[in-house]
Amino acid sequence: QVHVVESGGGLVQAGASLRLSCAVSGSAFSTYTMGWFRQAPGQERECVAAISLSGGSTYYSESVRGRFTISRDNARNTVFLQMDSLKPEDTAVYSCAASRVSDLIPTIIKRATEYDYWGQGTQVTVSS
């Protein structure tokens, strides 16, 4: 019943930037932990970034740390992923997800099984 819709993907060259957006329906957005996941062809789904309710705690995967930034605007029911210095290995379908648990700890926040609502994804392609 909660709808999650990603946007902002596209085709860019290595070194470029993209800003992904995720709009979430309903009145409970501010209580959700929000995460960004990606899946490349033939690869397992990977959590690249997540942001929790309490204190704005964030998580980043080792592969994107220092290049990607997750943020949220609770007034607009929106979460963002700013992607800088993109590399060809960042090519994947990026999906946004929401967990009804507000304070997931760092070792748990990256687990896809903790998330309740998922978008259908937006394609990001980075060429060499």
PDB file of all heavy atoms in Angstrom, residues 73-112:
ATOM      1  N   ASP A  73      14.380  14.459   3.218  1.00  0.00           N
ATOM      2  CA  ASP A  73      13.556  15.620   3.495  1.00  0.00           C
ATOM      3  C   ASP A  73      12.209  15.091   3.951  1.00  0.00           C
ATOM      4  O   ASP A  73      11.362  14.719   3.134  1.00  0.00           O
ATOM      5  CB  ASP A  73      13.411  16.500   2.256  1.00  0.00           C
ATOM      6  CG  ASP A  73      12.657  17.784   2.522  1.00  0.00           C
ATOM      7  OD1 ASP A  73      11.964  17.884   3.557  1.00  0.00           O
ATOM      8  OD2 ASP A  73      12.754  18.708   1.692  1.00  0.00           O
ATOM      9  N   ASN A  74      12.021  15.028   5.259  1.00  0.00           N
ATOM     10  CA  ASN A  74      10.800  14.435   5.799  1.00  0.00           C
ATOM     11  C   ASN A  74       9.551  15.248   5.457  1.00  0.00           C
ATOM     12  O   ASN A  74       8.457  14.698   5.379  1.00  0.00           O
ATOM     13  CB  ASN A  74      10.927  14.265   7.313  1.00  0.00           C
ATOM     14  CG  ASN A  74      11.871  13.147   7.699  1.00  0.00           C
ATOM     15  OD1 ASN A  74      12.181  12.280   6.889  1.00  0.00           O
ATOM     16  ND2 ASN A  74      12.331  13.164   8.937  1.00  0.00           N
ATOM     17  N   ALA A  75       9.707  16.562   5.263  1.00  0.00           N
ATOM     18  CA  ALA A  75       8.571  17.394   4.909  1.00  0.00           C
ATOM     19  C   ALA A  75       8.041  17.074   3.519  1.00  0.00           C
ATOM     20  O   ALA A  75       6.874  17.342   3.224  1.00  0.00           O
ATOM     21  CB  ALA A  75       8.941  18.869   4.999  1.00  0.00           C
ATOM     22  N   ARG A  76       8.890  16.512   2.659  1.00  0.00           N
ATOM     23  CA  ARG A  76       8.484  16.183   1.297  1.00  0.00           C
ATOM     24  C   ARG A  76       8.426  14.688   1.044  1.00  0.00           C
ATOM     25  O   ARG A  76       8.249  14.259  -0.104  1.00  0.00           O
ATOM     26  CB  ARG A  76       9.435  16.832   0.288  1.00  0.00           C
ATOM     27  CG  ARG A  76       9.390  18.356   0.293  1.00  0.00           C
ATOM     28  CD  ARG A  76      10.117  18.914  -0.915  1.00  0.00           C
ATOM     29  NE  ARG A  76      11.551  18.699  -0.823  1.00  0.00           N
ATOM     30  CZ  ARG A  76      12.380  18.805  -1.860  1.00  0.00           C
ATOM     31  NH1 ARG A  76      11.914  19.104  -3.066  1.00  0.00           N
ATOM     32  NH2 ARG A  76      13.682  18.611  -1.692  1.00  0.00           N
ATOM     33  N   ASN A  77       8.562  13.877   2.087  1.00  0.00           N
ATOM     34  CA  ASN A  77       8.530  12.415   1.948  1.00  0.00           C
ATOM     35  C   ASN A  77       9.508  11.934   0.874  1.00  0.00           C
ATOM     36  O   ASN A  77       9.173  11.086   0.035  1.00  0.00           O
ATOM     37  CB  ASN A  77       7.116  11.930   1.606  1.00  0.00           C
ATOM     38  CG  ASN A  77       6.223  11.793   2.823  1.00  0.00           C
ATOM     39  OD1 ASN A  77       6.398  12.491   3.822  1.00  0.00           O
ATOM     40  ND2 ASN A  77       5.250  10.892   2.747  1.00  0.00           N
ATOM     41  N   THR A  78      10.726  12.459   0.918  1.00  0.00           N
ATOM     42  CA  THR A  78      11.690  12.179  -0.131  1.00  0.00           C
ATOM     43  C   THR A  78      13.058  11.867   0.452  1.00  0.00           C
ATOM     44  O   THR A  78      13.496  12.509   1.410  1.00  0.00           O
ATOM     45  CB  THR A  78      11.809  13.371  -1.096  1.00  0.00           C
ATOM     46  OG1 THR A  78      10.513  13.692  -1.615  1.00  0.00           O
ATOM     47  CG2 THR A  78      12.725  13.044  -2.259  1.00  0.00           C
ATOM     48  N   VAL A  79      13.738  10.890  -0.134  1.00  0.00           N
ATOM     49  CA  VAL A  79      15.113  10.583   0.194  1.00  0.00           C
ATOM     50  C   VAL A  79      15.945  10.731  -1.078  1.00  0.00           C
ATOM     51  O   VAL A  79      15.456  10.458  -2.185  1.00  0.00           O
ATOM     52  CB  VAL A  79      15.253   9.172   0.811  1.00  0.00           C
ATOM     53  CG1 VAL A  79      14.831   8.095  -0.176  1.00  0.00           C
ATOM     54  CG2 VAL A  79      16.675   8.936   1.301  1.00  0.00           C
ATOM     55  N   PHE A  80      17.188  11.185  -0.935  1.00  0.00           N
ATOM     56  CA  PHE A  80      18.060  11.450  -2.066  1.00  0.00           C
ATOM     57  C   PHE A  80      19.339  10.637  -1.957  1.00  0.00           C
ATOM     58  O   PHE A  80      19.785  10.275  -0.867  1.00  0.00           O
ATOM     59  CB  PHE A  80      18.429  12.936  -2.133  1.00  0.00           C
ATOM     60  CG  PHE A  80      17.259  13.853  -2.171  1.00  0.00           C
ATOM     61  CD1 PHE A  80      16.785  14.454  -1.017  1.00  0.00           C
ATOM     62  CD2 PHE A  80      16.618  14.135  -3.368  1.00  0.00           C
ATOM     63  CE1 PHE A  80      15.702  15.312  -1.042  1.00  0.00           C
ATOM     64  CE2 PHE A  80      15.530  14.988  -3.420  1.00  0.00           C
ATOM     65  CZ  PHE A  80      15.072  15.579  -2.259  1.00  0.00           C
ATOM     66  N   LEU A  81      19.938  10.369  -3.103  1.00  0.00           N
ATOM     67  CA  LEU A  81      21.273   9.797  -3.153  1.00  0.00           C
ATOM     68  C   LEU A  81      22.093  10.615  -4.136  1.00  0.00           C
ATOM     69  O   LEU A  81      21.875  10.535  -5.349  1.00  0.00           O
ATOM     70  CB  LEU A  81      21.243   8.328  -3.573  1.00  0.00           C
ATOM     71  CG  LEU A  81      22.597   7.611  -3.529  1.00  0.00           C
ATOM     72  CD1 LEU A  81      23.088   7.479  -2.090  1.00  0.00           C
ATOM     73  CD2 LEU A  81      22.515   6.236  -4.189  1.00  0.00           C
ATOM     74  N   GLN A  82      23.004  11.424  -3.606  1.00  0.00           N
ATOM     75  CA  GLN A  82      23.921  12.188  -4.438  1.00  0.00           C
ATOM     76  C   GLN A  82      25.108  11.307  -4.770  1.00  0.00           C
ATOM     77  O   GLN A  82      25.804  10.832  -3.869  1.00  0.00           O
ATOM     78  CB  GLN A  82      24.382  13.453  -3.712  1.00  0.00           C
ATOM     79  CG  GLN A  82      25.381  14.300  -4.479  1.00  0.00           C
ATOM     80  CD  GLN A  82      24.784  14.907  -5.725  1.00  0.00           C
ATOM     81  OE1 GLN A  82      23.649  15.369  -5.698  1.00  0.00           O
ATOM     82  NE2 GLN A  82      25.548  14.917  -6.805  1.00  0.00           N
ATOM     83  N   MET A  83      25.345  11.080  -6.049  1.00  0.00           N
ATOM     84  CA  MET A  83      26.375  10.169  -6.526  1.00  0.00           C
ATOM     85  C   MET A  83      27.416  10.974  -7.294  1.00  0.00           C
ATOM     86  O   MET A  83      27.134  11.493  -8.369  1.00  0.00           O
ATOM     87  CB  MET A  83      25.767   9.086  -7.415  1.00  0.00           C
ATOM     88  CG  MET A  83      24.579   8.376  -6.775  1.00  0.00           C
ATOM     89  SD  MET A  83      23.585   7.427  -7.965  1.00  0.00           S
ATOM     90  CE  MET A  83      24.752   6.162  -8.434  1.00  0.00           C
ATOM     91  N   ASP A  84      28.611  11.078  -6.735  1.00  0.00           N
ATOM     92  CA  ASP A  84      29.704  11.817  -7.353  1.00  0.00           C
ATOM     93  C   ASP A  84      30.826  10.868  -7.748  1.00  0.00           C
ATOM     94  O   ASP A  84      30.933   9.756  -7.235  1.00  0.00           O
ATOM     95  CB  ASP A  84      30.246  12.884  -6.395  1.00  0.00           C
ATOM     96  CG  ASP A  84      29.230  13.942  -6.039  1.00  0.00           C
ATOM     97  OD1 ASP A  84      28.432  14.335  -6.908  1.00  0.00           O
ATOM     98  OD2 ASP A  84      29.245  14.395  -4.859  1.00  0.00           O
ATOM     99  N   SER A  85      31.679  11.329  -8.653  1.00  0.00           N
ATOM    100  CA  SER A  85      32.834  10.546  -9.105  1.00  0.00           C
ATOM    101  C   SER A  85      32.424   9.138  -9.511  1.00  0.00           C
ATOM    102  O   SER A  85      33.031   8.143  -9.104  1.00  0.00           O
ATOM    103  CB  SER A  85      33.902  10.501  -8.012  1.00  0.00           C
ATOM    104  OG  SER A  85      34.341  11.802  -7.663  1.00  0.00           O
ATOM    105  N   LEU A  86      31.400   9.049 -10.328  1.00  0.00           N
ATOM    106  CA  LEU A  86      30.862   7.745 -10.716  1.00  0.00           C
ATOM    107  C   LEU A  86      31.875   6.930 -11.508  1.00  0.00           C
ATOM    108  O   LEU A  86      32.650   7.473 -12.301  1.00  0.00           O
ATOM    109  CB  LEU A  86      29.586   7.926 -11.523  1.00  0.00           C
ATOM    110  CG  LEU A  86      28.356   8.283 -10.681  1.00  0.00           C
ATOM    111  CD1 LEU A  86      27.246   8.847 -11.551  1.00  0.00           C
ATOM    112  CD2 LEU A  86      27.863   7.045  -9.929  1.00  0.00           C
ATOM    113  N   LYS A  87      31.849   5.630 -11.278  1.00  0.00           N
ATOM    114  CA  LYS A  87      32.733   4.684 -11.920  1.00  0.00           C
ATOM    115  C   LYS A  87      31.916   3.673 -12.717  1.00  0.00           C
ATOM    116  O   LYS A  87      30.753   3.430 -12.400  1.00  0.00           O
ATOM    117  CB  LYS A  87      33.566   3.935 -10.876  1.00  0.00           C
ATOM    118  CG  LYS A  87      34.377   4.821  -9.947  1.00  0.00           C
ATOM    119  CD  LYS A  87      35.062   3.984  -8.875  1.00  0.00           C
ATOM    120  CE  LYS A  87      35.874   4.847  -7.935  1.00  0.00           C
ATOM    121  NZ  LYS A  87      36.529   4.027  -6.876  1.00  0.00           N
ATOM    122  N   PRO A  88      32.500   3.052 -13.744  1.00  0.00           N
ATOM    123  CA  PRO A  88      31.757   2.029 -14.492  1.00  0.00           C
ATOM    124  C   PRO A  88      31.203   0.925 -13.603  1.00  0.00           C
ATOM    125  O   PRO A  88      30.113   0.408 -13.885  1.00  0.00           O
ATOM    126  CB  PRO A  88      32.805   1.489 -15.472  1.00  0.00           C
ATOM    127  CG  PRO A  88      33.711   2.648 -15.708  1.00  0.00           C
ATOM    128  CD  PRO A  88      33.805   3.341 -14.371  1.00  0.00           C
ATOM    129  N   GLU A  89      31.906   0.570 -12.537  1.00  0.00           N
ATOM    130  CA  GLU A  89      31.424  -0.471 -11.651  1.00  0.00           C
ATOM    131  C   GLU A  89      30.216  -0.055 -10.816  1.00  0.00           C
ATOM    132  O   GLU A  89      29.631  -0.890 -10.117  1.00  0.00           O
ATOM    133  CB  GLU A  89      32.547  -0.977 -10.733  1.00  0.00           C
ATOM    134  CG  GLU A  89      33.283   0.126  -9.995  1.00  0.00           C
ATOM    135  CD  GLU A  89      34.581   0.524 -10.685  1.00  0.00           C
ATOM    136  OE1 GLU A  89      34.579   0.693 -11.918  1.00  0.00           O
ATOM    137  OE2 GLU A  89      35.599   0.656  -9.977  1.00  0.00           O
ATOM    138  N   ASP A  90      29.823   1.223 -10.881  1.00  0.00           N
ATOM    139  CA  ASP A  90      28.598   1.676 -10.237  1.00  0.00           C
ATOM    140  C   ASP A  90      27.360   1.372 -11.078  1.00  0.00           C
ATOM    141  O   ASP A  90      26.239   1.591 -10.610  1.00  0.00           O
ATOM    142  CB  ASP A  90      28.652   3.176  -9.961  1.00  0.00           C
ATOM    143  CG  ASP A  90      29.723   3.548  -8.948  1.00  0.00           C
ATOM    144  OD1 ASP A  90      29.886   2.814  -7.955  1.00  0.00           O
ATOM    145  OD2 ASP A  90      30.383   4.582  -9.156  1.00  0.00           O
ATOM    146  N   THR A  91      27.544   0.898 -12.293  1.00  0.00           N
ATOM    147  CA  THR A  91      26.425   0.587 -13.172  1.00  0.00           C
ATOM    148  C   THR A  91      25.539  -0.484 -12.548  1.00  0.00           C
ATOM    149  O   THR A  91      26.007  -1.571 -12.199  1.00  0.00           O
ATOM    150  CB  THR A  91      26.933   0.123 -14.541  1.00  0.00           C
ATOM    151  OG1 THR A  91      27.635   1.194 -15.173  1.00  0.00           O
ATOM    152  CG2 THR A  91      25.779  -0.315 -15.428  1.00  0.00           C
ATOM    153  N   ALA A  92      24.253  -0.172 -12.399  1.00  0.00           N
ATOM    154  CA  ALA A  92      23.313  -1.085 -11.752  1.00  0.00           C
ATOM    155  C   ALA A  92      21.924  -0.470 -11.775  1.00  0.00           C
ATOM    156  O   ALA A  92      21.753   0.706 -12.104  1.00  0.00           O
ATOM    157  CB  ALA A  92      23.729  -1.366 -10.305  1.00  0.00           C
ATOM    158  N   VAL A  93      20.940  -1.278 -11.406  1.00  0.00           N
ATOM    159  CA  VAL A  93      19.621  -0.761 -11.094  1.00  0.00           C
ATOM    160  C   VAL A  93      19.617  -0.376  -9.621  1.00  0.00           C
ATOM    161  O   VAL A  93      19.923  -1.200  -8.758  1.00  0.00           O
ATOM    162  CB  VAL A  93      18.519  -1.788 -11.383  1.00  0.00           C
ATOM    163  CG1 VAL A  93      17.165  -1.273 -10.902  1.00  0.00           C
ATOM    164  CG2 VAL A  93      18.463  -2.108 -12.868  1.00  0.00           C
ATOM    165  N   TYR A  94      19.275   0.866  -9.343  1.00  0.00           N
ATOM    166  CA  TYR A  94      19.258   1.379  -7.973  1.00  0.00           C
ATOM    167  C   TYR A  94      17.823   1.423  -7.465  1.00  0.00           C
ATOM    168  O   TYR A  94      16.950   2.019  -8.102  1.00  0.00           O
ATOM    169  CB  TYR A  94      19.888   2.770  -7.909  1.00  0.00           C
ATOM    170  CG  TYR A  94      21.392   2.740  -8.002  1.00  0.00           C
ATOM    171  CD1 TYR A  94      22.021   2.444  -9.208  1.00  0.00           C
ATOM    172  CD2 TYR A  94      22.186   2.976  -6.883  1.00  0.00           C
ATOM    173  CE1 TYR A  94      23.396   2.383  -9.296  1.00  0.00           C
ATOM    174  CE2 TYR A  94      23.562   2.926  -6.964  1.00  0.00           C
ATOM    175  CZ  TYR A  94      24.171   2.627  -8.175  1.00  0.00           C
ATOM    176  OH  TYR A  94      25.542   2.577  -8.258  1.00  0.00           O
ATOM    177  N   SER A  95      17.583   0.797  -6.312  1.00  0.00           N
ATOM    178  CA  SER A  95      16.258   0.729  -5.722  1.00  0.00           C
ATOM    179  C   SER A  95      16.241   1.392  -4.361  1.00  0.00           C
ATOM    180  O   SER A  95      17.207   1.299  -3.600  1.00  0.00           O
ATOM    181  CB  SER A  95      15.801  -0.728  -5.582  1.00  0.00           C
ATOM    182  OG  SER A  95      15.729  -1.365  -6.843  1.00  0.00           O
ATOM    183  N   CYS A  96      15.136   2.034  -4.056  1.00  0.00           N
ATOM    184  CA  CYS A  96      14.912   2.679  -2.779  1.00  0.00           C
ATOM    185  C   CYS A  96      14.006   1.794  -1.935  1.00  0.00           C
ATOM    186  O   CYS A  96      13.068   1.185  -2.454  1.00  0.00           O
ATOM    187  CB  CYS A  96      14.278   4.053  -3.016  1.00  0.00           C
ATOM    188  SG  CYS A  96      13.901   5.000  -1.534  1.00  0.00           S
ATOM    189  N   ALA A  97      14.272   1.717  -0.638  1.00  0.00           N
ATOM    190  CA  ALA A  97      13.492   0.871   0.246  1.00  0.00           C
ATOM    191  C   ALA A  97      13.269   1.550   1.590  1.00  0.00           C
ATOM    192  O   ALA A  97      14.079   2.360   2.028  1.00  0.00           O
ATOM    193  CB  ALA A  97      14.192  -0.477   0.457  1.00  0.00           C
ATOM    194  N   ALA A  98      12.163   1.193   2.237  1.00  0.00           N
ATOM    195  CA  ALA A  98      11.782   1.760   3.529  1.00  0.00           C
ATOM    196  C   ALA A  98      11.573   0.648   4.542  1.00  0.00           C
ATOM    197  O   ALA A  98      10.925  -0.357   4.251  1.00  0.00           O
ATOM    198  CB  ALA A  98      10.518   2.590   3.390  1.00  0.00           C
ATOM    199  N   SER A  99      12.116   0.852   5.728  1.00  0.00           N
ATOM    200  CA  SER A  99      11.892  -0.054   6.850  1.00  0.00           C
ATOM    201  C   SER A  99      11.060   0.638   7.912  1.00  0.00           C
ATOM    202  O   SER A  99      11.317   1.798   8.245  1.00  0.00           O
ATOM    203  CB  SER A  99      13.219  -0.510   7.457  1.00  0.00           C
ATOM    204  OG  SER A  99      13.005  -1.223   8.663  1.00  0.00           O
ATOM    205  N   ARG A 100      10.102  -0.066   8.459  1.00  0.00           N
ATOM    206  CA  ARG A 100       9.281   0.498   9.525  1.00  0.00           C
ATOM    207  C   ARG A 100      10.009   0.577  10.855  1.00  0.00           C
ATOM    208  O   ARG A 100       9.510   1.207  11.790  1.00  0.00           O
ATOM    209  CB  ARG A 100       7.992  -0.311   9.680  1.00  0.00           C
ATOM    210  CG  ARG A 100       7.039  -0.156   8.504  1.00  0.00           C
ATOM    211  CD  ARG A 100       5.789  -0.995   8.680  1.00  0.00           C
ATOM    212  NE  ARG A 100       6.083  -2.421   8.593  1.00  0.00           N
ATOM    213  CZ  ARG A 100       5.175  -3.374   8.706  1.00  0.00           C
ATOM    214  NH1 ARG A 100       3.896  -3.054   8.902  1.00  0.00           N
ATOM    215  NH2 ARG A 100       5.534  -4.644   8.621  1.00  0.00           N
ATOM    216  N   VAL A 101      11.199  -0.012  10.960  1.00  0.00           N
ATOM    217  CA  VAL A 101      12.018   0.097  12.153  1.00  0.00           C
ATOM    218  C   VAL A 101      12.849   1.367  12.052  1.00  0.00           C
ATOM    219  O   VAL A 101      13.624   1.533  11.111  1.00  0.00           O
ATOM    220  CB  VAL A 101      12.922  -1.130  12.326  1.00  0.00           C
ATOM    221  CG1 VAL A 101      13.767  -0.988  13.588  1.00  0.00           C
ATOM    222  CG2 VAL A 101      12.084  -2.395  12.385  1.00  0.00           C
ATOM    223  N   SER A 102      12.721   2.258  13.033  1.00  0.00           N
ATOM    224  CA  SER A 102      13.313   3.586  12.939  1.00  0.00           C
ATOM    225  C   SER A 102      14.800   3.629  13.264  1.00  0.00           C
ATOM    226  O   SER A 102      15.510   4.495  12.755  1.00  0.00           O
ATOM    227  CB  SER A 102      12.568   4.550  13.876  1.00  0.00           C
ATOM    228  OG  SER A 102      11.214   4.670  13.520  1.00  0.00           O
ATOM    229  N   ASP A 103      15.285   2.728  14.087  1.00  0.00           N
ATOM    230  CA  ASP A 103      16.650   2.812  14.605  1.00  0.00           C
ATOM    231  C   ASP A 103      17.423   1.524  14.375  1.00  0.00           C
ATOM    232  O   ASP A 103      17.916   0.897  15.317  1.00  0.00           O
ATOM    233  CB  ASP A 103      16.645   3.159  16.090  1.00  0.00           C
ATOM    234  CG  ASP A 103      16.174   4.568  16.371  1.00  0.00           C
ATOM    235  OD1 ASP A 103      16.582   5.487  15.634  1.00  0.00           O
ATOM    236  OD2 ASP A 103      15.403   4.752  17.328  1.00  0.00           O
ATOM    237  N   LEU A 104      17.567   1.132  13.133  1.00  0.00           N
ATOM    238  CA  LEU A 104      18.395  -0.024  12.798  1.00  0.00           C
ATOM    239  C   LEU A 104      19.865   0.302  13.058  1.00  0.00           C
ATOM    240  O   LEU A 104      20.343   1.368  12.685  1.00  0.00           O
ATOM    241  CB  LEU A 104      18.207  -0.424  11.346  1.00  0.00           C
ATOM    242  CG  LEU A 104      16.827  -0.959  10.961  1.00  0.00           C
ATOM    243  CD1 LEU A 104      16.729  -1.131   9.452  1.00  0.00           C
ATOM    244  CD2 LEU A 104      16.545  -2.275  11.668  1.00  0.00           C
ATOM    245  N   ILE A 105      20.585  -0.632  13.690  1.00  0.00           N
ATOM    246  CA  ILE A 105      21.991  -0.420  13.989  1.00  0.00           C
ATOM    247  C   ILE A 105      22.825  -0.677  12.736  1.00  0.00           C
ATOM    248  O   ILE A 105      22.356  -1.321  11.795  1.00  0.00           O
ATOM    249  CB  ILE A 105      22.451  -1.296  15.169  1.00  0.00           C
ATOM    250  CG1 ILE A 105      22.311  -2.782  14.834  1.00  0.00           C
ATOM    251  CG2 ILE A 105      21.670  -0.948  16.427  1.00  0.00           C
ATOM    252  CD1 ILE A 105      22.842  -3.697  15.921  1.00  0.00           C
ATOM    253  N   PRO A 106      24.076  -0.191  12.699  1.00  0.00           N
ATOM    254  CA  PRO A 106      24.866  -0.275  11.465  1.00  0.00           C
ATOM    255  C   PRO A 106      25.029  -1.676  10.891  1.00  0.00           C
ATOM    256  O   PRO A 106      25.058  -1.838   9.669  1.00  0.00           O
ATOM    257  CB  PRO A 106      26.219   0.312  11.892  1.00  0.00           C
ATOM    258  CG  PRO A 106      25.867   1.287  12.954  1.00  0.00           C
ATOM    259  CD  PRO A 106      24.740   0.644  13.717  1.00  0.00           C
ATOM    260  N   THR A 107      25.143  -2.695  11.739  1.00  0.00           N
ATOM    261  CA  THR A 107      25.321  -4.045  11.236  1.00  0.00           C
ATOM    262  C   THR A 107      24.035  -4.634  10.663  1.00  0.00           C
ATOM    263  O   THR A 107      24.086  -5.652   9.972  1.00  0.00           O
ATOM    264  CB  THR A 107      25.853  -4.976  12.336  1.00  0.00           C
ATOM    265  OG1 THR A 107      25.000  -4.923  13.481  1.00  0.00           O
ATOM    266  CG2 THR A 107      27.260  -4.565  12.752  1.00  0.00           C
ATOM    267  N   ILE A 108      22.905  -4.019  10.936  1.00  0.00           N
ATOM    268  CA  ILE A 108      21.609  -4.510  10.497  1.00  0.00           C
ATOM    269  C   ILE A 108      21.035  -3.675   9.371  1.00  0.00           C
ATOM    270  O   ILE A 108      20.323  -4.193   8.497  1.00  0.00           O
ATOM    271  CB  ILE A 108      20.619  -4.553  11.676  1.00  0.00           C
ATOM    272  CG1 ILE A 108      21.172  -5.431  12.807  1.00  0.00           C
ATOM    273  CG2 ILE A 108      19.252  -5.051  11.233  1.00  0.00           C
ATOM    274  CD1 ILE A 108      21.364  -6.878  12.422  1.00  0.00           C
ATOM    275  N   ILE A 109      21.338  -2.394   9.335  1.00  0.00           N
ATOM    276  CA  ILE A 109      20.691  -1.465   8.422  1.00  0.00           C
ATOM    277  C   ILE A 109      20.927  -1.818   6.956  1.00  0.00           C
ATOM    278  O   ILE A 109      20.134  -1.444   6.090  1.00  0.00           O
ATOM    279  CB  ILE A 109      21.143  -0.022   8.725  1.00  0.00           C
ATOM    280  CG1 ILE A 109      20.143   1.003   8.186  1.00  0.00           C
ATOM    281  CG2 ILE A 109      22.556   0.229   8.211  1.00  0.00           C
ATOM    282  CD1 ILE A 109      20.404   2.410   8.688  1.00  0.00           C
ATOM    283  N   LYS A 110      21.993  -2.559   6.655  1.00  0.00           N
ATOM    284  CA  LYS A 110      22.312  -2.910   5.279  1.00  0.00           C
ATOM    285  C   LYS A 110      21.611  -4.176   4.793  1.00  0.00           C
ATOM    286  O   LYS A 110      21.742  -4.532   3.616  1.00  0.00           O
ATOM    287  CB  LYS A 110      23.825  -3.069   5.106  1.00  0.00           C
ATOM    288  CG  LYS A 110      24.419  -4.205   5.919  1.00  0.00           C
ATOM    289  CD  LYS A 110      25.934  -4.251   5.754  1.00  0.00           C
ATOM    290  CE  LYS A 110      26.546  -5.369   6.572  1.00  0.00           C
ATOM    291  NZ  LYS A 110      28.032  -5.394   6.428  1.00  0.00           N
ATOM    292  N   ARG A 111      20.880  -4.846   5.655  1.00  0.00           N
ATOM    293  CA  ARG A 111      20.226  -6.098   5.290  1.00  0.00           C
ATOM    294  C   ARG A 111      18.908  -5.823   4.575  1.00  0.00           C
ATOM    295  O   ARG A 111      18.010  -5.190   5.126  1.00  0.00           O
ATOM    296  CB  ARG A 111      19.976  -6.953   6.523  1.00  0.00           C
ATOM    297  CG  ARG A 111      21.245  -7.414   7.227  1.00  0.00           C
ATOM    298  CD  ARG A 111      20.911  -8.264   8.433  1.00  0.00           C
ATOM    299  NE  ARG A 111      22.091  -8.694   9.160  1.00  0.00           N
ATOM    300  CZ  ARG A 111      22.075  -9.403  10.273  1.00  0.00           C
ATOM    301  NH1 ARG A 111      20.909  -9.771  10.806  1.00  0.00           N
ATOM    302  NH2 ARG A 111      23.207  -9.734  10.864  1.00  0.00           N
ATOM    303  N   ALA A 112      18.774  -6.337   3.373  1.00  0.00           N
ATOM    304  CA  ALA A 112      17.568  -6.124   2.588  1.00  0.00           C
ATOM    305  C   ALA A 112      16.331  -6.692   3.266  1.00  0.00           C
ATOM    306  O   ALA A 112      15.222  -6.175   3.089  1.00  0.00           O
ATOM    307  CB  ALA A 112      17.729  -6.729   1.196  1.00  0.00           C
TER     308      ALA A 112
END
